[in-house]
Amino acid sequence: IPNPMPTFTAENQNNKVVAATDGKTYTFNNLECGTYTVVESTVPGYEAVSFQIQVTDPGVGKSAVASVVADSGKILPVADANGDYTLTNIAKTTSLTLSKTYNGIETGHATFTITEEDEENPMAYIVLKDGLYTFSGLQYGKSYTVVENAPLGYVGVKFTIDVAKTDDNGDPIAEINGKVDGLTEGSQ
């Protein structure tokens, strides 16, 4: 799903620097020694991050060193052996609630399985309450296949849920994609 690239800004009392990027890597140039708060701009469908870094001077003839301050954010970059940091963003999640009836006849409850596209194991995030089925934990940027295991004598449905759009607040929206297999004329 194409999204705008975020920007990262490092700021303290004396300095504000926007990271340069080549589309994959972000680099802060000309940071003076001190503690900075790094803030990511908001990108639809993903949690924005912020954390602190400490820039220190190791001595004459050596480059300044930046390190992430422990426990300074919900999501923190992780350093590799070269001292380069990797930050993995977390996609926001949403839910989809459906009702299911069998031409008004009480037949017992259907069960559903939901599987992430290209995965084998079904998810266990389906809750039945007051006759409504809620599929939660649906992650932005993913698609899911839903299969109903209908009660004896009824045809189950199969459909795809896409979480590919966001609302005006950048929160994901789950939508049924295309035709629902198993529905008969007049049932929706």
Side-chain angles (χ1 to χ4, degrees), residues 146-171:
V146 178
V147 177
E148 175 190 16
N149 305 304
L152 186 62
Y154 292 87
V155 176
V157 296
K158 180 179 179 180
F159 56 93
T160 302
I161 298 173
D162 287 336
V163 187
K165 296 179 183 175
T166 58
D167 63 16
D168 292 339
N169 295 321
D171 293 323

Side-chain angles (χ1 to χ4, degrees), residues 101-149:
T101 60
Y102 297 96
N103 298 324
I105 300 171
E106 180 59 39
T107 60
H109 298 298
T111 59
F112 290 88
T113 57
I114 182 167
T115 308
E116 186 180 318
E117 186 176 61
D118 299 327
E119 294 289 328
E120 293 179 18
N121 298 321
M123 298 172 57
Y125 301 121
I126 304 167
V127 175
L128 172 63
K129 183 178 179 184
D130 300 328
L132 299 174
Y133 294 88
T134 300
F135 305 88
S136 60
L138 304 176
Q139 196 173 49
Y140 178 73
K142 302 213 177 198
S143 294
Y144 301 87
T145 300
V146 178
V147 177
E148 175 190 16
N149 305 304

Side-chain angles (χ1 to χ4, degrees), residues 7-51:
T7 58
F8 286 87
T9 305
E11 185 173 5
N12 68 9
Q13 307 89 331
N14 306 320
N15 204 2
K16 181 176 182 178
V17 177
V18 176
T21 183
D22 61 7
K24 287 184 178 181
T25 303
Y26 291 84
T27 304
F28 289 106
N29 295 308
N30 303 318
L31 289 179
E32 298 171 1
C33 291
T35 301
Y36 293 80
T37 299
V38 176
V39 178
E40 176 188 26
S41 64
T42 302
V43 175
Y46 292 90
E47 298 283 340
V49 299
S50 70
F51 54 90

